Structure formats: structure tokens, C-alpha cells
């Protein structure tokens, strides 16, 4: 198993859009109405939105490759790019998505650890993320990695309001 990571640039917009659609769709389509998932995909992953996120100096995207094949990606947010006001000493892991056929190979943990390393390099004291309350596998993974639930916030999948748990990890 050979894992590599690459920071995304604006030149990667189309590839980022494709993997974003694919992985989000694989993860959440069966749990939501077609109308709500389609509305979310169009809003969150259209070219203009992704270009805006890629251009934000406080957001970073990273592709992960498994044996030189695109397998998933990570998005982190710093400072005012965070989706909640958690302060400048925090780093948000907004997205870790792995294609279904590459899951169970440690890629999520690899990206997760990469985010923790970035947080430490930048002297952040807290790492946090939002995870859907019904995504028990992800919640169990984050708890295993030392996160605790510290709150919740609303997340809109199309017209449906859902609840994301806010989970945090204090860095030592």
C-alpha cells in the first residue's frame, strides 16, 4: 500500500468537483431524498462555490492517492473560514471523504492524522469537526481518535434540517 498526499490548487477544480460529488453521493444518497441530496450537491459543489473555497487562503484541500489512484480528499479551515466561530487557535476538519472502493485501507485515518499535523505545525490548540448525528461509524472513529462531543449545529440537506454533532480534540 502506497499513500501520497497532494495539496489542491485552482488547477484541480474539476477533479475536486468530481470527487466531491462522487464521495458525498456515495456516503449520503441512500439516507436522504433525491431532491434534497441533489439540491445540496448543486449548492455545495458547483464550480463557482469550489473556486471560492479553493481561493480562500484560510481553507486548504488535499487529495489522497492510494497506489497512485485518486482515492479521496481532506478539507481544513482556519481562522474566519471555519463554519463555526471557534477562534483563531482552532482548526476545523470540514471534510474527509474516501471513495467507497478505497475504504477500510486506513485512508481516513491517514488524512485525519495529516490534519492533526497541520494543526500542530500552525500552533493550533484545538481541532474540531461536525459529523451527522446518524453517521455512527464516523462518530465511533472520531471518539477512537480522541474527540468528544461538545455541541451540535444545524446542517441543511436541501430543505431538510439535520443535526451535526460538534466534536473537538484538544491538542497537547
Amino acid at each position: 500500500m502506497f499513500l501520497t498526499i497532494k495539496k489542491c490548487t485552482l488547477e484541480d477544480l474539476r477533479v475536486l468537483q468530481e470527487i466531491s460529488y462522487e464521495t458525498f453521493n456515495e456516503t449520503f444518497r441512500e439516507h436522504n431524498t433525491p431532491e434534497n441530496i441533489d439540491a445540496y450537491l448543486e449548492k455545495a459543489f458547483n464550480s463557482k462555490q469550489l473556486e471560492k473555497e479553493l481561493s480562500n487562503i484560510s481553507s486548504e484541500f488535499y487529495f489522497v492517492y492510494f497506489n497512485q489512484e485518486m482515492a479521496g480528499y481532506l478539507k481544513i479551515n482556519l481562522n474566519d473560514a471555519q463554519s463555526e466561530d471557534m477562534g483563531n487557535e482552532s482548526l476545523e476538519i470540514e471534510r474527509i471523504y474516501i471513495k467507497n472502493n478505497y475504504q477500510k485501507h486506513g485512508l481516513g485515518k491517514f488524512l485525519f492524522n495529516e490534519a492533526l499535523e497541520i494543526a500542530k505545525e500552525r500552533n493550533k490548540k484545538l481541532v474540531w469537526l461536525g459529523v451527522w448525528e446518524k453517521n455512527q461509524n464516523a462518530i465511533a472513529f472520531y471518539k477512537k481518535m480522541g474527540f468528544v462531543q461538545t455541541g451540535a449545529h444545524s446542517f441543511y440537506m436541501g430543505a431538510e434540517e439535520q443535526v451535526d454533532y460538534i466534536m473537538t480534540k484538544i491538542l497537547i
Side-chain angles (χ1 to χ4, degrees), residues 5-16:
I5 192 164
K6 172 190 173 276
K7 188 172 181 181
C8 302
T9 67
L10 276 172
E11 288 75 44
D12 298 313
L13 179 81
R14 181 64 52 209
V15 175
L16 177 62

Side-chain angles (χ1 to χ4, degrees), residues 63-81:
F63 290 141
V64 64
Y65 296 86
F66 181 84
N67 295 332
Q68 300 179 356
E69 304 254 340
M70 167 74 69
Y73 76 102
L74 162 72
K75 180 185 182 201
I76 61 170
N77 295 317
L78 305 158
N79 306 321
D80 61 349

Side-chain angles (χ1 to χ4, degrees), residues 16-17 19-21 23-24 28 40-41 43-46 49-50 53-54 59-62 72-77 83 91-98 108 111-112 115 128-130 142 155:
L16 177 62
Q17 185 177 39
I19 196 165
S20 296
Y21 265 89
T23 55
F24 196 90
F28 296 110
Y40 182 82
L41 288 168
K43 177 183 170 207
F45 303 125
N46 69 68
Q49 179 61 33
L50 288 176
E53 292 177 27
L54 278 165
S59 292
E60 298 174 9
F61 290 84
Y62 297 87
Y73 76 102
L74 162 72
K75 180 185 182 201
I76 61 170
N77 295 317
S83 60
L91 178 142
E92 175 187 15
I93 299 173
E94 185 176 358
R95 299 181 194 139
I96 295 180
Y97 286 108
I98 306 297
L111 289 176
F112 175 84
W128 73 278
L129 52 86
Y142 295 129
F155 177 87

Side-chain angles (χ1 to χ4, degrees), residues 9-153:
T9 67
L10 276 172
E11 288 75 44
D12 298 313
L13 179 81
R14 181 64 52 209
V15 175
L16 177 62
Q17 185 177 39
E18 289 170 9
I19 196 165
S20 296
Y21 265 89
E22 180 180 348
T23 55
F24 196 90
N25 198 43
E26 285 176 344
T27 305
F28 296 110
R29 170 123 352 231
E30 69 182 78
H31 306 289
N32 293 278
T33 67
E35 299 79 21
N36 283 338
I37 193 98
D38 290 344
Y40 182 82
L41 288 168
E42 176 52 36
K43 177 183 170 207
F45 303 125
N46 69 68
S47 296
K48 194 172 191 171
Q49 179 61 33
L50 288 176
E51 182 177 350
K52 178 181 168 190
E53 292 177 27
L54 278 165
S55 299
N56 186 332
I57 61 169
S58 293
S59 292
E60 298 174 9
F61 290 84
Y62 297 87
F63 290 141
V64 64
Y65 296 86
F66 181 84
N67 295 332
Q68 300 179 356
E69 304 254 340
M70 167 74 69
Y73 76 102
L74 162 72
K75 180 185 182 201
I76 61 170
N77 295 317
L78 305 158
N79 306 321
D80 61 349
Q82 296 177 85
S83 60
E84 293 281 331
D85 183 8
M86 300 292 272
N88 290 339
E89 294 187 336
S90 299
L91 178 142
E92 175 187 15
I93 299 173
E94 185 176 358
R95 299 181 194 139
I96 295 180
Y97 286 108
I98 306 297
K99 292 180 180 182
N100 280 351
N101 53 332
Y102 292 101
Q103 292 188 0
K104 308 294 183 213
H105 293 287
L107 279 75
K109 187 175 183 180
F110 176 78
L111 289 176
F112 175 84
N113 286 330
E114 186 68 25
L116 290 182
E117 283 304 309
I118 293 167
K120 289 175 186 172
E121 286 169 9
R122 297 181 189 184
N123 299 311
K124 301 301 179 187
K125 293 184 171 46
L126 180 93
V127 175
W128 73 278
L129 52 86
V131 59
W132 188 30
E133 67 180 339
K134 295 181 182 176
N135 192 344
Q136 293 304 314
N137 287 342
I139 292 167
F141 170 75
Y142 295 129
K143 283 182 178 176
K144 185 174 149 188
M145 301 308 289
F147 279 70
V148 294
Q149 182 185 343
T150 55
H153 65 191

